[in-house]
Amino acid sequence: MGRILAVDYGKKRVGLAVSDPLGIIAGGLTTVDTPDVLDYICNYVAANDVECIVVGLPKQVNGKPSESMNYINPFVGNLKKRLPNMRIDFFDERFTSVLAHKAMIDAGLKKSDRANKALVDKISATIILQDYLMSGQWRVDSGQ
C-alpha cells in the first residue's frame, strides 16, 4: 500500500501531510506557497509511493460548501490533469484550524510560534489526514 497525501489548500499557502506506508499515522510534511504546490506535489508523487491524495473540503457550519471551493476546484482539476491516474478524495476540513491552534496550545508553543500561519496550515493538513485515516473512507473506496 502507498502513502496518502493530504492537502490543506489556501490562497497563499498549502499545508501538506503524509501518512505512513500502512495508512495508520499522519504526519506533517511541509507548507508550500500556493503557486508552487502543483509542481511540489507532482515531484513528491514521482519520488514516493503515493496511493491517494485527500484534499480538505471547506464547508460552512450549515454543511454547504464555502466560497473557498471557487479556487479549490480549479486546483483539483489541474491536479487531475497532471496526475490522471491518481485517486483524489475530498474530506471535510471544518474546524481544523481551530483544532490546530488547540494542538499548538496543548503542545506548549509560545504565542509567537502559534502565530506562524504556515505551521497552522501543516498541522491542519495533518488533522485532515488523521481524520480521513480514522474514517476508513480510503479503505472502503479502494476495496481494501
Side-chain angles (χ1 to χ4, degrees):
M1 181 188 145
R3 296 178 186 271
I4 299 171
L5 182 68
V7 178
D8 180 30
Y9 192 86
K11 286 183 180 178
K12 294 181 181 181
R13 287 172 311 281
V14 178
L16 299 171
V18 67
S19 74
D20 66 299
L22 297 176
I24 298 170
I25 299 170
L29 181 61
T30 191
T31 306
V32 179
D33 290 335
T34 299
D36 303 325
V37 74
L38 277 172
D39 287 338
Y40 184 93
I41 290 173
C42 290
N43 290 333
Y44 186 86
V45 167
N48 296 277
D49 184 20
V50 176
E51 174 179 326
C52 175
I53 298 172
V54 59
V55 178
L57 177 62
K59 292 184 179 181
Q60 299 175 40
V61 177
N62 65 7
K64 293 182 179 178
S66 79
E67 290 182 26
S68 301
M69 289 306 290
N70 292 332
Y71 54 89
I72 292 174
N73 280 331
F75 160 73
V76 171
N78 288 327
L79 192 58
K80 287 179 179 181
K81 286 178 188 172
R82 299 266 309 260
L83 299 169
N85 296 319
M86 178 62 61
R87 175 179 163 188
I88 300 174
D89 288 342
F90 281 105
F91 196 77
D92 190 351
E93 70 168 24
R94 279 180 286 185
F95 310 114
T96 54
S97 293
V98 173
L99 293 171
H101 277 101
K102 182 172 178 358
M104 294 167 81
I105 291 169
D106 291 348
L109 292 178
K110 293 182 275 181
K111 189 174 184 177
S112 59
D113 293 331
R114 295 192 312 260
N116 180 344
K117 293 183 181 188
L119 182 57
V120 173
D121 292 339
K122 183 167 72 170
I123 293 171
S124 293
T126 306
I127 292 168
I128 292 166
L129 180 54
Q130 192 64 52
D131 288 350
Y132 179 80
L133 295 172
M134 290 173 54
S135 77
Q137 179 178 329
W138 62 275
R139 291 176 190 223
V140 173
D141 293 346
S142 68
Q144 294 198 13

